[in-house]
C-alpha cells in the first residue's frame, strides 16, 4: 500500500477536485479482479477500461489499481437489481489519501447499462474519488442525467458480480474511519472482497 501514499504527493489539498495528469493518449486497458465471493466461493472479473468514455475517471482508476488501493476492499453496498459498490480502502489511512481528493467530472458519454462501471459520488459537482460501482441492470434513466459517467465495462465474470453478498446498511462513516477492522467487528464474513486488482 506504500505506493498509494506517494502517488498523491503533488495532488490538490483534501476536498479540492484535482485534475489527473495527461490522459489524452491513454489506450484501453484491462483490470482483473480476484474476488472472494463468500467463504467457500471465489471468482475472477475482468473490466475493460475505456479512457475515451471518461478520461479523468479512467486515469484515476488506473492510479488506484496500480497502487493496490482495491486489494482487500470489500463490496460494502450491494443492492440486488441496482448496483454493486466498492472502494473504501481496507486501511483507513489509505482511504484518507484518496477518498478526500476528488477529481473533476467527466461528461456522461455512455449510458449506465448492465455491466458498466461508474464512480459513486455525492450529488454535487467534482465529487468522484475512489468508490466505484457496477450496474446490475439498465440504470440509464436514473443515473445518466445526474452525472454518473461510465468509464469501464465488465467483459468477463459478470456472473461473479451477480453472486456478491448483498449488503445495504453498512455505516460508511465508521467504515471509512476504521477500515476493514470495522467490518470484521460488525459483520464478519458477510461481505464479498476483492483479494487483488491488477492491470493485465
Amino acid at each position: 500500500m506504500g505506493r498509494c501514499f506517494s502517488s498523491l504527493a503533488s495532488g490538490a489539498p483534501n476536498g479540492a477536485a484535482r485534475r489527473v495528469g495527461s490522459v489524452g493518449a491513454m489506450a484501453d486497458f484491462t483490470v482483473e479482479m480476484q474476488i472472494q465471493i463468500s467463504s467457500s466461493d471465489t471468482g475472477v472479473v475482468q473490466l475493460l477500461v475505456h479512457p475515451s468514455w471518461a478520461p479523468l475517471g479512467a486515469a484515476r482508476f488506473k492510479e488506484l489499481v496500480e497502487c493496490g488501493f482495491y486489494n482487500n476492499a470489500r463490496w460494502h453496498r450491494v443492492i440486488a437489481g441496482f448496483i454493486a459498490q466498492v472502494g473504501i480502502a481496507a486501511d483507513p489511512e489509505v482511504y484518507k489519501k484518496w477518498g478526500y481528493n476528488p477529481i473533476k467530472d467527466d461528461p456522461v458519454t455512455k449510458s449506465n447499462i448492465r455491466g458498466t462501471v461508474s464512480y459513486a459520488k455525492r450529488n454535487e459537482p467534482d465529487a468522484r474519488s475512489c468508490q466505484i460501482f457496477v450496474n446490475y441492470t439498465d440504470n440509464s434513466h436514473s443515473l445518466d442525467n445526474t452525472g454518473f459517467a461510465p468509464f469501464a465495462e465488465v467483459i468477463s465474470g459478470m456472473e461473479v458480480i451477480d453472486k456478491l453478498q448483498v449488503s445495504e446498511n453498512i455505516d460508511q462513516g465508521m467504515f471509512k474511519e476504521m477500515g476493514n477492522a470495522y467490518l470484521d467487528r460488525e459483520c464478519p464474513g458477510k461481505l464479498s472482497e476483492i483479494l487483488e486488482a491488477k492491470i493485465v
Side-chain angles (χ1 to χ4, degrees):
M1 279 292 185
R3 287 174 298 163
C4 279
F5 287 104
S6 61
S7 296
L8 275 175
S10 60
N14 283 1
R18 146 182 197 271
R19 291 195 179 277
V20 183
S22 177
V23 297
M26 186 183 295
D28 291 359
F29 59 95
T30 301
V31 171
E32 183 175 279
M33 294 180 170
Q34 303 282 339
I35 296 179
Q36 187 80 44
I37 303 166
S38 65
S39 60
S40 60
D41 197 5
T42 60
V44 178
V45 173
Q46 288 193 334
L47 309 179
L48 181 59
V49 182
H50 299 280
S52 62
W53 290 8
L56 298 178
R60 166 56 68 91
F61 186 61
K62 188 171 188 286
E63 286 184 296
L64 290 165
V65 172
E66 287 179 334
C67 83
F69 178 90
Y70 293 104
N71 296 348
N72 303 119
R74 298 182 189 170
W75 297 83
H76 63 275
R77 186 169 180 245
V78 179
I79 304 174
F82 184 39
I83 64 166
Q85 183 171 326
V86 69
I88 297 178
D91 181 344
E93 294 304 312
V94 171
Y95 185 80
K96 287 178 184 177
K97 292 291 182 180
W98 294 90
Y100 302 108
N101 279 278
I103 59 174
K104 295 286 187 180
D105 285 338
D106 284 302
V108 178
T109 64
K110 296 293 179 179
S111 288
N112 284 272
I113 60 173
R114 175 173 165 80
T116 55
V117 186
S118 299
Y119 282 87
K121 66 184 186 72
R122 299 183 303 277
N123 188 25
E124 58 187 64
D126 302 331
R128 301 177 303 164
S129 60
C130 52
Q131 293 194 52
I132 62 171
F133 63 84
V134 180
N135 286 289
Y136 273 133
T137 189
D138 184 349
N139 292 314
S140 57
H141 61 287
S142 60
L143 299 181
D144 288 4
N145 63 358
T146 49
F148 292 92
F151 66 91
E153 61 182 324
V154 177
I155 57 169
S156 177
M158 190 62 195
E159 71 279 2
V160 176
I161 300 297
D162 286 335
K163 292 194 292 182
L164 296 175
Q165 297 185 73
V166 173
S167 176
E168 300 184 31
N169 300 305
I170 297 298
D171 184 331
Q172 290 195 39
M174 290 298 296
F175 185 13
K176 292 172 184 177
E177 183 177 329
M178 296 179 62
N180 281 4
Y182 168 72
L183 302 178
D184 291 340
R185 185 187 74 188
E186 297 296 324
C187 48
K190 294 183 179 180
L191 275 71
S192 302
E193 179 175 331
I194 298 175
L195 300 176
E196 183 183 24
K198 62 182 179 181
I199 296 173
V200 295

